[in-house]
Amino acid sequence: MDLTFVFPCLNEEKSLGECITKVRQSLEKAAGLRYEIVVADNGSTDRSREIATSLGARVVPVSRRGYGAALSGGIEAAEGKYVMFADADNTYLYEHALPLYEATSTAGADMGIASRIKGDIKPGAMPTLHRYLGTPVLTSLINLFFQGRLSDCNSGFRCLRKTSFQAWAVRSSGMEFASELLIKALKHRAQCVEIPSGLNPNPPDRVPHLRTWRDGMRHLLFIFSERPQMFEWLGLIAVVFATLLQILAVITGPVNFLGLNIFDLHSQALLLLAGLVGTQFYMYSCMCYLRSSDKPSGITRWLINMDEGTLFFLLSGVMLAIALVVLSVFVIWAGSSFAGLNLTHTLVAIVHFLSVPLLLCLGLLGLHTLKRYEQ
């Protein structure tokens, strides 16, 4: 089989038949092309399965719910060397099925994308927020982080070499499947091509499966999770820089620099905030490394693989230091008959030096729990 066309399907009886017909009309223009149409049914309760079967499509039931899960099930069941897919909502230009296949196979590419942005987007077909903010921002991030040259990361009309897809080990079950597919392809240095296509408006009586903010955030989270080095170094730089300046503030006290009063209480509070945020960024990168094939730096690798006995004594030491600080402050306060204390500058610095290790230890607790007991 040369090509398998996969439609992910969940209650698409109103549009599925027309989509199958349009794809067949396009592919039959190529003499001798051996193809099949597969409907990856994700639990439809309407007549979608019957319609697909009546039009000669092969129905593949996929029990795991989600857009990505349906596509993965359909692709795995495909018999074609190349696998093409598009939504079954009658919004894509299915007449471009053959041009997309020819562009991908002729170039020997691993992936071909029918770009909506480069093509003709009909009025009302794409919400303004998606067209001018969501898709451009996500596409730019993918291009920046993974050295891509794409125009439309959210296009759901693509053609893949099946063996390449299997090598990429795509796992997402939701809408973020689209971003993962591109990122895994770019990280494997896959060859990608694009053709201009377009988009038609949704049928007036169809309720879209896409939820803008939820699915957009899922795309963003996946993009970030595949770039842990950025958060690792951003976090380390923020923590080290803020801590060094905090030490300098303790040594020098408030300083007038070029007419600015620095290293006073407000500066110390902002440095404390920078240290806490940097620690959180760093721990986020450590969490991402648990599921990423990317290699962390030496210190991060040591923390991730730290012996649990060492973690116990590290956490115990930090908690003991906090207890001693609290006890010392109470003793000083009691010694002054519980009057006001002028320890603010010192305490802010001490809170900085203790809270950063404490957050690090608590993050490591969660990290090692996930590493040891996740299924």
Side-chain angles (χ1 to χ4, degrees), residues 84-296:
M84 189 180 298
F85 63 84
D87 297 349
D89 57 4
N90 207 18
T91 59
Y92 285 98
L93 306 188
Y94 305 100
E95 60 269 26
H96 292 163
L98 182 58
L100 179 59
Y101 168 71
E102 290 177 337
T104 308
S105 59
T106 300
D110 299 286
M111 182 190 303
I113 303 170
S115 171
R116 304 166 301 171
I117 303 300
K118 287 185 176 180
D120 180 24
I121 300 177
K122 299 293 194 301
M126 187 183 296
T128 302
L129 188 65
H130 295 190
R131 184 171 184 177
Y132 298 107
L133 181 63
T135 297
V137 168
L138 293 175
T139 302
S140 297
L141 287 175
I142 290 176
N143 287 337
L144 175 65
F145 293 161
F146 307 102
Q147 295 78 55
R149 294 184 178 181
L150 310 170
S151 66
D152 185 4
C153 74
N154 287 332
S155 172
F157 191 2
R158 303 181 189 180
C159 183
L160 313 168
R161 189 195 303 272
K162 184 175 178 179
T163 53
S164 299
F165 174 82
Q166 292 170 328
W168 299 338
V170 179
R171 298 178 295 180
S172 295
S173 62
M175 291 292 182
E176 66 273 22
F177 176 91
S179 291
E180 181 178 6
L181 191 57
L182 291 180
I183 291 170
K184 292 291 179 66
L186 293 173
K187 292 181 82 168
H188 280 80
R189 300 289 187 267
Q191 182 182 355
C192 301
V193 297
E194 284 188 333
I195 68 167
S197 187
L199 194 68
N200 292 319
N202 263 305
D205 55 348
R206 182 182 182 275
V207 178
H209 298 305
L210 180 69
R211 293 174 59 184
T212 298
W213 294 107
R214 181 203 65 181
D215 293 325
M217 189 61 185
R218 286 182 176 180
H219 282 285
L220 193 61
L221 286 174
F222 186 84
I223 293 170
F224 286 159
S225 73
E226 288 291 320
R227 193 66 175 176
Q229 299 96 333
M230 179 181 70
F231 292 96
E232 179 186 16
W233 288 106
L234 182 62
L236 283 174
I237 291 171
V239 169
V240 172
F241 188 67
T243 303
L244 290 176
L245 288 180
Q246 193 75 265
I247 293 173
L248 190 59
V250 172
I251 295 173
T252 65
V255 175
N256 188 286
F257 179 73
L258 299 177
L260 300 174
N261 185 34
I262 63 173
F263 294 156
D264 208 339
L265 183 59
H266 300 88
S267 301
Q268 287 185 284
L270 291 176
L271 290 173
L272 170 60
L273 178 62
L276 298 179
V277 171
T279 306
Q280 293 287 26
F281 276 170
Y282 179 72
M283 290 312 305
Y284 174 73
S285 75
C286 292
M287 297 288 182
C288 292
Y289 275 124
L290 288 183
R291 59 172 299 281
S292 175
S293 59
D294 295 353
K295 293 183 178 180

Side-chain angles (χ1 to χ4, degrees), residues 332-333 336-343:
I332 295 172
W333 189 30
S336 64
S337 300
F338 299 102
L341 297 177
N342 188 23
L343 295 175

Side-chain angles (χ1 to χ4, degrees), residues 34-88:
R34 296 169 297 172
Y35 74 92
E36 64 172 346
I37 297 177
V38 167
V39 173
D41 187 74
N42 211 199
S44 296
T45 55
D46 61 4
R47 296 181 57 252
S48 296
R49 297 188 184 194
E50 291 85 347
I51 292 171
T53 303
S54 68
L55 293 173
R58 178 161 61 95
V59 176
V60 175
V62 181
S63 58
R64 187 184 178 203
R65 299 302 290 268
Y67 170 78
L71 279 176
S72 294
I75 294 172
E76 288 302 323
E79 297 179 2
K81 177 183 178 181
Y82 282 90
V83 182
M84 189 180 298
F85 63 84
D87 297 349

